[in-house]
Amino acid sequence: QKEVEQNSGPLSVPEGAIASLNCTYSDRVSQSFFWYRQYSGKSPELIMSIYSNGDKEDGRFTAQLNKASQYVSLLIRDSQPSDSATYLCAVGFSGFQKLVFGTGTRLLVSP
Amino acid sequence: EPEVTQTPSHQVTQMGQEVILRCVPISNHLYFYWYRQILGQKVEFLVSFYNNEISEKSEIFDDQFSVERPDGSNFTLKIRSTKLEDSAMYFCASSETGEYQPQHFGDGTRLSIL
């Protein structure tokens, strides 16, 4: 059973702070990792993809991957109230086309 | 920016009725997917479709479900005899190629079974 685990939160941060979201996955041979943002009642919106160990930055977002620890994270710098949403970690497991999603972490950014 | 479009946005159906959910994937994408999300739960994979055939399906995707690409643009999910537990958001997604590629999601169809 391929699993993706996230803390459901909520994670509360003040405006301007760094939000750190974490995700672990069960299959060591996983190859592709994605972060999606989902506002309440809306569809998942792709924020970042990462495939190699290390950091990948895109604007205020940084994805970090550590395959040895089976761990992927998302940092959001200068958090804004509009970042308040549920952040979904999704993993593509080798040999499969499907994405396996975590339960998501709810982020609340207070003004 | 190209996007995946889904219709209808909300479908209300009596239990036991057939329902068809429609999707138009991004035009140059080759892989198509259906996911569902029951209220308050995880996004769950249903099926992937490539080259006019199912390439992978989950345990949820039983004989009551079918998918079709009836023409060059549409991708449909049919549920033959709906059950109360089929009530969920159904998301269509597409990707340029298959494994390892980002999947882009449509806005979803909320299916309510009465």
Side-chain angles (χ1 to χ4, degrees), chain B residues 33-110:
Chain B
Y33 311 85
W34 284 101
Y35 291 82
R36 79 172 186 190
Q37 187 175 32
I38 294 170
L39 187 64
Q41 297 188 23
K42 292 184 186 185
V43 176
E44 301 175 288
F45 169 80
L46 293 177
V47 65
S48 59
F49 191 87
Y50 169 71
N51 199 26
N52 280 320
E53 60 182 26
I54 290 173
S55 48
E56 189 177 350
K57 62 182 180 179
S58 72
E59 293 175 353
I60 302 168
F61 194 89
D62 62 20
D63 291 344
Q64 294 299 315
F65 291 87
S66 62
V67 289
E68 190 179 31
R69 187 155 166 83
D71 54 43
S73 59
N74 289 284
F75 178 52
T76 63
L77 174 69
K78 181 193 290 186
I79 309 175
R80 263 179 272 281
S81 179
T82 51
K83 307 180 185 69
L84 292 176
E85 55 265 36
D86 293 328
S87 295
M89 280 290 286
Y90 287 80
F91 296 113
C92 175
S94 67
S95 62
E96 278 188 63
T97 59
E99 202 174 335
Y100 312 141
Q101 291 299 306
Q103 296 177 20
H104 299 269
F105 284 69
D107 288 341
T109 293
R110 179 173 300 282

